[in-house]
C-alpha cells in the first residue's frame, strides 16, 4: 500500500458537524457524468404558447433593452416582447417592470447573475414540467459557467470586449473574474458593456434551446462538472455526510480552502485508483 | 513600530490581476456602517396596488403553499393571492406557476435561496424606485443572513425544528449550515419542513416591511456586515483593486482562504489602529 492510499484509509477529517473516519468500510464511488439525453417537448405551461424566435434578433433586443432595466429585465423582455408581437395577450399585459429587481445579482446584492435569473424565469413561465425545467436550467447554467463570454457583438460596433470564463453563476464572482481578465474596473463602462453583451448571449442561447425543445429536437447535453461530482460523492444526499444539495461549480469558492483542497485532491486520486 | 504594523506596511499581496504593494501611500479607510434611515413611500409600480397584509396570516399561507411549488412559489403566492382577493385584476391573472423555477436555488442548482428570490420579485413588482428596491432587498437579505431561523411554527403543530444562522443568502450554503446545526440530512423531511417554515418567515418579514413602507413608517435598519465593509475597502469600486461589487456576506465562502484570512485579519487590525 503506498503512502497516499495509507493516508486516505486512515485519515479522519472534521467535516460537517462531526468527524468522519475514512476507513476501508467507506468506499465512495464518484458519480458518473450525465450522458446527453433527448427530452421530449411538453405542453406550454398554463397556456403560455411559444413560437420559434431568431437567436440573433433576440440577442440584439436584449442588448438594446439592457439600458432600460439591466440584465434580468433585458433577457426577460427580449423574449416576452417578441411573443407579445406574435400572440398579443397574455404576453402584452405581463408586468415586465418587475424583472428590474434582478440587476447586479438581485438588488445589487451580488448573488445570482441577472441574465440567468431572467432566463430561468422564462423557463418557469413557458415549460410546464419540473424535471424538464431543471434540465434546461442546468444546461444553460453550466454553459454560462464554462464558456468564454461575451460572444455577442452589436452590428456596426467596432469595440472589442475581452472575454472571460465566469466559473460561477454568481454575479459578483462572474464580474470579478471578468475584471481580472480584462484589467477593467468593476465600475467601468467596459464592464457595463460586457454585462450588456452577456445579456445578448444568454438570451440567444436560451431561445436556441427553447426552439429545439418545442420542436422536439432538444438534447440535454450532459454538461459535466467533475468537481461537483467529486464533492457530492461525500457531501451530497447519497454520500456519507448528506449535508449539501447543489450543482454550482464548487471550486469557484471552495478551492481556497487549502487544507480541504489537499484532502480533496488526495481523496479524489485514491478514488480514481479504486475505480 | 510594532511587528504587525511593519508587516502591514511592507507586505505585497497577489490580488486581482496583479500585485498590490501596501505601502504608507495606501491608507484605506473602512467604510462606516450605514445608519438607519427613513425611506419615503413611492407610488405603486405600474398600477400594482398594495394593501396592508397580516404577517402571521401571510406566513401561514406561504407554509401552506410550499407543498404546491416549493420556496419561491410559496412566498410569492402568499402575497399575490391575498392581493388578488382584495383587488382582483391584475393580480388574478398573474401566472404564478412561473415562480416554481426558484426551488432549490433556481432549478435545484443551489444559488439564491428561493424564498428571497420570491420576496425580491414581489419588491420588483410593487415598488417603483430602484434605490428603494435595493434598500428593501438589502434589509431582507441581511436579516436572513444573520437571524436564527426558522421562527415560524404552524398552528397546532407540536414538532420543533432546530434553528440555524444561514450566514449566506445562497440555498446550498444556507441548507448545509442548517444540516450541520440540526444533524439532519439534506434529503430529510425535517430539512424540507425547515425550508417550508422559512418560507413563512420570509413572507412574514416581507409584508411587515411593505406594510411599514407603504404607510410611510419604514426605516431601513442599516443592517451591518463588518466583513463586507472591510473587504470592499480594497476590493470594491472605491478601493485600490476595483474588482468586486457585492453585498453578500464574504466570509461564508472566503473565510477558508487561510493565507488571505491571515492577511485580512492583520490588515483590518492595522486599519482600526489607524482610524
Amino acid at each position: 500500500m503506498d503512502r497516499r492510499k495509507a493516508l486516505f484509509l486512515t485519515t479522519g477529517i472534521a467535516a460537517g458537524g462531526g468527524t468522519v473516519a475514512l476507513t476501508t468500510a467507506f468506499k465512495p464511488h464518484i458519480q458518473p457524468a450525465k450522458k446527453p439525453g433527448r427530452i421530449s417537448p411538453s405542453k406550454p405551461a398554463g397556456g403560455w404558447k411559444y413560437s420559434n424566435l431568431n437567436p440573433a434578433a433576440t440577442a440584439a433586443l436584449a442588448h438594446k433593452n439592457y439600458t432600460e432595466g439591466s440584465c434580468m429585465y433585458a433577457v426577460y423582455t427580449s423574449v416576452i416582447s417578441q411573443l407579445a408581437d406574435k400572440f398579443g395577450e397574455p404576453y402584452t399585459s405581463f408586468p415586465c417592470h418587475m424583472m428590474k429587481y434582478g440587476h447586479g445579482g438581485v438588488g445589487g446584492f451580488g448573488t445570482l447573475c441577472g441574465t440567468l435569473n431572467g432566463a430561468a424565469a422564462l423557463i418557469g413561465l413557458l415549460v410546464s414540467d419540473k424535471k424538464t425545467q431543471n434540465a434546461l436550467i442546468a444546461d444553460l447554467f453550466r454553459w454560462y459557467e464554462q464558456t468564454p463570454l461575451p460572444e455577442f457583438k452589436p452590428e456596426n460596433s467596432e469595440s472589442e470586449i475581452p472575454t472571460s470564463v465566469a466559473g460561477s453563476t454568481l454575479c459578483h464572482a462572474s464580474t470579478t473574474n471578468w475584471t481580472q481578465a480584462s484589467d477593467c474596473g468593476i465600475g467601468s463602462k467596459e464592464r457595463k458593456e460586457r454585462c450588456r453583451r452577456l445579456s445578448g448571449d444568454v438570451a440567444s442561447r436560451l431561445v436556441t434551446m427553447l426552439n429545439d425543445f418545442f420542436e422536439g429536437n432538444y438534447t440535454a447535453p450532459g454538461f459535466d462538472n467533475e468537481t461537483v461530482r467529486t464533492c457530492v460523492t461525500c457531501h451530497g444526499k447519497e454520500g456519507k455526510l448528506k449535508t449539501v444539495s447543489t450543482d454550482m461549480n464548487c471550486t469557484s469558492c471552495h478551492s481556497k480552502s487549502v487544507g480541504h483542497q489537499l484532502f480533496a485532491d488526495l481523496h479524489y486520486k485514491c478514488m480514481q485508483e479504486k475505480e
Side-chain angles (χ1 to χ4, degrees), chain A:
Chain A
M1 189 186 289
D2 66 31
R3 196 178 155 274
R4 279 198 165 163
K5 200 170 274 179
L7 188 59
F8 165 67
L9 293 173
T10 56
T11 303
I13 47 161
T19 296
V20 178
L22 291 169
T23 67
T24 47
F26 176 47
K27 290 176 183 167
H29 291 278
I30 300 175
Q31 292 186 1
K34 276 187 191 157
K35 288 182 182 156
R38 179 67 63 96
I39 294 183
S40 303
S42 52
K43 283 188 184 167
W48 292 71
K49 289 180 287 187
Y50 183 75
S51 170
N52 253 25
L53 298 177
N54 180 296
T58 309
L61 259 177
H63 185 263
K64 176 173 166 282
N65 294 354
Y66 181 92
T67 54
E68 281 172 34
S70 200
C71 42
M72 184 179 193
Y73 176 87
V75 171
Y76 196 83
T77 55
S78 71
V79 173
I80 292 290
S81 65
Q82 293 184 84
L83 295 176
D85 288 345
K86 293 196 181 199
F87 299 121
E89 293 294 355
Y91 290 98
T92 317
S93 301
F94 191 96
C96 287
H97 72 270
M98 72 180 290
M99 296 301 173
K100 295 180 183 177
Y101 84 90
H103 80 92
V106 180
F109 213 79
T111 69
L112 178 60
C113 170
T115 67
L116 295 179
N117 209 2
L122 285 163
I123 291 169
L125 182 70
L126 299 166
V127 177
S128 57
D129 171 63
K130 181 179 173 181
K131 275 183 87 168
T132 307
Q133 286 184 6
N134 292 354
L136 291 165
I137 288 170
D139 179 355
L140 187 72
F141 281 28
R142 278 273 179 273
W143 163 83
Y144 176 102
E145 279 181 346
Q146 299 176 2
T147 309
L149 297 172
E151 287 172 344
F152 176 76
K153 193 174 174 186
E155 251 182 67
N156 307 322
S157 168
E158 288 183 6
S159 72
E160 295 291 337
I161 295 290
T163 62
S164 63
V165 176
S168 172
T169 50
L170 299 183
C171 167
H172 82 276
S174 172
T175 50
T176 294
N177 238 340
W178 184 84
T179 61
Q180 293 178 350
S182 66
D183 228 8
C184 295
I186 190 74
S188 66
K189 66 180 194 313
E190 289 85 358
R191 201 277 306 152
K192 284 169 194 153
E193 179 60 21
R194 174 264 184 185
C195 291
R196 195 177 170 189
R197 293 187 183 190
L198 188 60
S199 303
D201 289 326
V202 171
S204 164
R205 175 85 183 177
L206 174 69
V207 299
T208 303
M209 287 165 54
L210 291 176
N211 289 348
D212 286 348
F213 173 69
F214 284 110
E215 283 179 342
N217 296 324
Y218 176 73
T219 299
F223 266 121
D224 187 28
N225 186 312
E226 197 179 347
T227 58
V228 174
R229 281 191 291 113
T230 307
C231 296
V232 299
T233 300
C234 298
H235 292 273
K237 68 180 168 190
E238 309 295 331
K240 188 146 183 157
L241 299 172
K242 299 183 191 354
T243 52
V244 185
S245 175
T246 188
D247 269 329
M248 293 176 71
N249 177 29
C250 305
T251 50
S252 170
C253 300
H254 298 295
S255 62
K256 291 181 175 171
S257 163
V258 177
H260 185 274
Q261 191 60 38
L262 288 173
F263 176 79
D265 287 347
L266 176 62
H267 193 172
Y268 179 61
K269 279 179 188 149
C270 286
M271 283 196 287
Q272 280 187 318
E273 285 170 27
K274 282 167 175 276
E275 300 277 301

